[in-house]
């Protein structure tokens, strides 16, 4: 469990060390049975993750859907907690992003963030009086093949937790 010693994981999960070890053994057996290789589950380095996210951010500020499609994986999942919006696959992702840029505009300012160890950004769109208004907080799951998950938040409590300003100068 995230490199915690079994005793610490057991304490966090309020269970026994034997239960944690047993669960890990069963998980390893299932992963081997599924034919998953170690290199398939290894995460890219911080530099590789940053590169994928930087490329995504550059395409996003250009409202470049084709550029974004080159960065997301074939099976990309875009979720928008606490709404029930889920978009899976490049085609659905592209359709949704086209709608976003049509509705919210194509002039953006992005602020890089980290959330639970994952890279992301706060997206500000141009609003009235040449001010940029906070639109979303986006957090990414990055794999060796690109960005596989985009979690998009529009919740004021989430914005507050990150100390994000509601508006910035243009």
């Amino acid at each position: 469990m995230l490199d915690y010693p079994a005793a610490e994981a057991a304490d966090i999960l309020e269970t026994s060390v034997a239960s944690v070890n047993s669960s890990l053994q069963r998980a390893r057996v299932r992963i081997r049975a599924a034919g998953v290789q170690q290199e398939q589950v290894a995460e890219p380095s911080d530099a590789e993750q940053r590169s994928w996210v930087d490329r995504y951010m550059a395409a996003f500020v250009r409202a470049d859907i084709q550029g974004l499609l080159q960065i997301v994986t074939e099976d990309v999942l875009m979720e928008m907690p606490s709404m029930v919006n889920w978009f899976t696959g490049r085609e659905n992702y592209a359709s949704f992003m086209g709608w976003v840029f049509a509705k919210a505009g194509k002039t953006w300012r992005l602020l890089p963030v980290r959330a639970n160890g994952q890279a992301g950004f706060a997206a500000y769109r141009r609003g009235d009086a040449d001010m940029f208004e906070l639109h979303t907080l986006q957090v990414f799951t990055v794999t060796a093949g690109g960005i596989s998950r985009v979690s998009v938040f529009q919740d004021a409590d989430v914005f507050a937790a990150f100390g994000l300003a509601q508006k910035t100068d243009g």
Side-chain angles (χ1 to χ4, degrees), residues 1-29:
M1 185 178 121
L2 303 174
D3 293 328
Y4 285 100
E8 194 171 344
D11 186 48
I12 292 168
L13 296 171
E14 298 178 349
T15 190
S16 68
V17 172
S19 175
V20 168
N21 287 332
S22 177
S23 294
L24 285 172
Q25 279 183 316
R26 287 191 310 276
R28 289 182 183 121
V29 167

Side-chain angles (χ1 to χ4, degrees), residues 86-144:
W86 287 71
F87 302 94
T88 57
R90 283 185 177 146
E91 186 176 317
N92 292 326
Y93 167 85
S95 294
F96 179 72
M97 291 307 296
W99 179 85
V100 167
F101 293 136
K103 286 290 194 183
K106 295 182 179 181
T107 306
W108 298 87
R109 180 169 289 161
L110 307 181
L111 174 68
V113 299
R114 292 208 53 90
N116 295 327
Q118 294 177 283
F121 61 78
Y124 289 81
R125 67 182 182 105
R126 184 182 302 278
D128 297 332
D130 208 29
M131 295 289 287
F132 283 83
E133 301 167 349
L134 184 55
H135 185 259
T136 57
L137 175 74
Q138 301 184 30
V139 179
F140 305 103
T141 299
V142 183
T143 66

